[in-house]
Amino acid sequence: MHRQSRQDGRTAAGAQNAKALVVIRSPFTSNEDMFDKPDSFADIVFTAHGMEGEIHLHKFIVGMACGSVGNALKNNSVSGCVRFEWPYDTSGDADRSALIKVLQFCYGIPLSVSRNSDDCCAMIATFIRLQVRNRVEVILIIVRFIIESSQENVRVAAKHLKACAKYDECCSGECWHLNVTLAKMVLTKKNIKEHGDIVVDGCLMDLPPK
């Protein structure tokens, strides 16, 4: 399944419609040919609940690019190949796709982010969970993308707010409390009056009580 997602990611990266997609160039050294290749001296077997199969990675690449993986490796006394189990559920399409794309990003592969609310927020959460180097710049690009698309359409903004509320990372200071910004855009008296079906029934009622 993750091999198909990788192909989908590359196809998306070539899209030209900036309105529907933002493509972010990776600052990491290009090691695309080594991603998920067991015969490339891979020494990390990466697994996650909800994702079929395993992803074969490299300590010297992922350990340097991702703080959470690097710290886990430092605390692991096992030499040679190690298993790393992602502690978050990836049974949802957005979470699974985000995990694969962010790991690919660490291998120098451009990151494609669609306008889809779940994809955007899952991507932000994954960057923070993995503690990817240079994540601040990437998260800022995605946040701006979310806010700009939200300004264009109340329905889109409401979807972004609902998706954002699913992830603590999107409600944190590292994401500039995106949930608060979106709530101020969506939950206005004007929107509640003119778009009650979208704002109240389709968004507010689904938000957590906080």
Side-chain angles (χ1 to χ4, degrees):
M1 182 178 294
H2 58 270
R3 295 182 187 278
Q4 180 63 45
S5 297
R6 182 175 62 196
Q7 293 174 357
D8 293 342
R10 290 177 182 172
T11 300
Q16 296 299 315
N17 187 353
K19 282 281 186 179
L21 186 77
V22 59
V23 179
I24 304 172
R25 186 181 301 277
S26 174
F28 299 105
T29 301
S30 178
N31 289 297
E32 180 176 355
D33 293 340
M34 298 177 67
F35 182 80
D36 197 21
K37 298 291 179 60
D39 58 353
S40 63
F41 301 100
D43 49 10
I44 297 178
V45 178
F46 192 103
T47 61
H49 175 69
M51 183 173 66
E52 293 183 3
E54 305 166 334
I55 305 178
H56 299 271
L57 305 172
H58 304 78
K59 293 178 182 178
F60 78 94
I61 295 176
V62 182
M64 292 292 292
C66 303
S68 60
V69 178
N71 290 335
L73 293 175
K74 290 178 182 178
N75 296 327
N76 192 322
S77 59
V78 178
S79 60
C81 188
V82 299
R83 297 189 69 85
F84 184 94
E85 184 174 355
W86 184 236
Y88 301 95
D89 185 18
T90 60
S91 56
D93 290 341
D95 293 302
R96 186 168 54 251
S97 176
L99 177 59
I100 294 169
K101 286 185 176 182
V102 175
L103 289 174
Q104 290 176 330
F105 186 75
C106 297
Y107 277 72
I109 301 173
L111 179 74
S112 60
V113 187
S114 73
R115 180 187 286 270
N116 180 277
S117 303
D118 290 329
D119 290 346
C120 288
C121 294
M123 198 73 72
I124 291 171
T126 303
F127 266 98
I128 295 175
R129 290 169 177 176
L130 278 171
Q131 298 174 26
V132 178
R133 283 172 41 210
N134 303 315
R135 65 184 178 275
V136 174
E137 293 84 352
V138 177
I139 292 173
L140 181 58
I141 292 173
I142 300 175
V143 167
R144 285 175 174 168
F145 183 67
I146 290 175
I147 292 176
E148 288 174 2
S149 61
S150 295
Q151 291 171 337
E152 299 172 0
N153 189 298
V154 174
R155 189 180 299 275
V156 170
K159 289 181 178 180
H160 282 327
L161 178 56
K162 287 175 60 176
C164 180
K166 298 177 184 178
Y167 301 95
D168 290 339
E169 293 82 4
C170 292
C171 305
S172 69
E174 189 161 1
C175 194
W176 302 280
H177 301 288
L178 178 60
N179 60 320
V180 175
T181 300
L182 290 173
K184 289 180 179 179
M185 296 174 64
V186 175
L187 306 177
T188 65
K189 291 182 179 180
K190 182 176 183 293
N191 284 339
I192 291 175
K193 181 179 180 180
E194 298 180 1
H195 307 284
D197 56 331
I198 297 173
V199 175
V200 179
D201 300 334
C203 179
L204 183 60
M205 300 302 292
D206 293 330
L207 295 178
K210 61 180 181 179

